[in-house]
Amino acid sequence: MKYYLGMDAGGSKTYAVITDETGRLVAAGKGGPGNHQIDRDTAARSIRQAVAQALGQAGLREQDIAAACFGLAGADREADFRILRPMIAELGLPGSDIVCDTVIALRAGTSKPYGVVAICGSGTNCVGVSPSGETYQCGGFGYPYGDFGGGGDLAAEAFRAVIRAWEGREEETLLTALVTKELGYPSVERMFHHFLDHALPVPLELTPLLFEAAAQGDRVAARILRMQGTELGLAARAVIRRLGMQSETFDLVLAGSVLTRGDGQFIHPYIEEIVQPEAPGCRLQVLGVEPVVGAILLAMEKDGTTVSEPVQEQVRRISDLKGVLAGG
């Protein structure tokens, strides 16, 4: 029996899972933050912890793993890989491959080894893999580098909309009542001065309020969410053009909490509006499983395995690791 290890390491937590060659979940491990761009030592420790926990639970040694795939947040450029390669090599797992966590989200969301993924969580990113295996990433480096959106930008837009309405620069919005209530202020004026006096950051918790206001017909919130959809569509279209995938049939996987937990009607149609004329064979697919599923599938494919439909179906049953991991 062959065993495969997959990892999803992000800014807040790290998951490692082990399956056998049939796709059956054998063990799982969890660590803390795994993005080396935030803290290299913490990331290394989290990755080691998750792998050790999974191996211990499975009763396996490093050499028992046929292939491993590490989907790591921050694995964007060669400068990152120069840090990550020795970090992963120290684990002693044979046949280890390192990819950006966006790539495993893509593979988790489609039955094909190619396609495009648009991620909108705390930030945004878009990555594509062509049928020939060529990869292209558009975005993922923040607002100054061309991105818009994700929880950080969307929360700021909600906050700004309330301030602008209070000042008279923007139309009235339901966000005013929702934001002041969420943050515990009796008025916008009190909120405005308290945030300025204490140099407070805008909390990410404001992002879901955009969907709440839009569902009640608020034009300001709907406009902000539409802008997010358009920006994600532009990024996906750029990837499609760069990889020459206009005539291909493929999935555009939507991943990240804003796209998978928020009401899709306020964002998804605007992504499609940009992408469909460019690539008629593109189909939007919301990610419904753990991204680490993609890491397992990529590990199997790296080992030279043609992953059958039954195996894919078995691996895709890994839809929620919280019930598998103690304290998850």
Side-chain angles (χ1 to χ4, degrees):
M1 181 68 72
K2 286 187 174 183
Y3 297 96
Y4 299 95
L5 184 142
M7 174 168 284
D8 177 18
S12 60
K13 61 183 179 299
T14 298
Y15 285 150
V17 302
I18 296 173
T19 72
D20 62 23
E21 62 193 35
T22 71
R24 180 181 63 88
L25 178 63
V26 174
K30 184 179 180 181
N35 188 336
H36 75 284
Q37 293 177 350
I38 299 173
D39 188 302
R40 184 186 306 190
D41 293 338
T42 298
R45 185 165 56 251
S46 298
I47 290 168
R48 285 196 305 270
Q49 178 182 333
V51 169
Q53 186 178 339
L55 287 171
Q57 188 181 109
L60 298 172
R61 299 169 298 173
E62 289 81 0
Q63 56 265 40
D64 295 324
I65 303 298
C69 178
F70 292 82
L72 308 179
D76 299 309
R77 304 182 301 126
E78 177 56 30
D80 299 305
F81 283 92
R82 285 197 291 269
I83 295 169
L84 295 172
R85 289 189 193 106
M87 186 185 297
I88 299 305
E90 288 177 1
L91 298 172
L93 292 164
S96 294
D97 197 17
I98 304 169
V99 299
C100 184
D101 59 346
T102 52
V103 175
I104 65 170
L106 168 58
R107 188 64 187 88
T110 180
S111 60
K112 300 178 180 180
Y114 60 88
V116 178
V117 61
I119 294 182
C120 189
S122 57
T124 68
N125 204 343
C126 189
V127 170
V129 178
S130 73
S132 66
E134 183 183 358
T135 301
Y136 179 64
Q137 174 177 331
C138 180
F141 301 102
Y143 187 84
Y145 297 93
D147 295 345
F148 169 80
D153 288 348
L154 290 175
E157 289 295 320
F159 190 85
R160 289 182 75 249
V162 172
I163 299 299
R164 288 168 64 83
W166 171 63
E167 293 175 326
R169 286 192 277 181
E170 181 70 83
E171 65 183 280
E172 292 296 321
T173 170
L174 296 176
L175 289 167
T176 298
L178 292 171
V179 168
T180 53
K181 180 181 178 181
E182 174 71 23
L183 298 181
Y185 293 95
S187 67
V188 177
E189 183 175 7
R190 288 278 295 276
M191 180 182 76
F192 177 86
H193 289 293
H194 190 251
F195 266 71
L196 273 178
D197 291 343
H198 298 277
L200 299 176
V202 176
L204 292 176
E205 288 77 16
L206 299 189
T207 299
L209 302 183
L210 289 167
F211 291 97
E212 186 175 340
Q216 297 177 49
D218 188 76
R219 293 190 301 178
V220 173
R223 184 167 65 244
I224 293 169
L225 294 174
R226 177 171 186 160
M227 180 165 59
Q228 178 67 91
T230 299
E231 285 292 327
L232 291 169
L234 291 172
R237 186 177 69 181
V239 169
I240 291 165
R241 286 178 174 175
R242 183 65 66 98
L243 295 176
M245 295 175 64
Q246 293 93 330
S247 61
E248 300 290 343
T249 299
F250 61 92
D251 291 324
L252 169 53
V253 178
L254 306 181
S257 58
V258 173
L259 292 176
T260 60
R261 298 178 193 168
D263 191 335
Q265 67 172 311
F266 299 113
I267 295 182
H268 299 182
Y270 307 113
I271 300 174
E272 198 167 30
E273 188 176 86
I274 299 291
V275 171
Q276 274 293 309
E278 189 73 21
C282 171
R283 182 187 65 169
L284 269 60
Q285 183 74 35
V286 178
L287 182 62
V289 299
E290 290 282 355
V292 75
V293 163
I296 288 292
L297 293 174
L298 288 169
M300 289 179 170
E301 289 165 350
K302 177 179 173 58
D303 191 42
T305 302
T306 300
V307 185
S308 67
E309 189 172 328
V311 171
Q312 288 207 48
E313 289 179 359
Q314 182 67 42
V315 176
R316 292 184 192 284
R317 292 179 185 174
I318 307 172
S319 59
D320 185 2
L321 287 170
K322 291 182 180 179
V324 177
L325 291 158

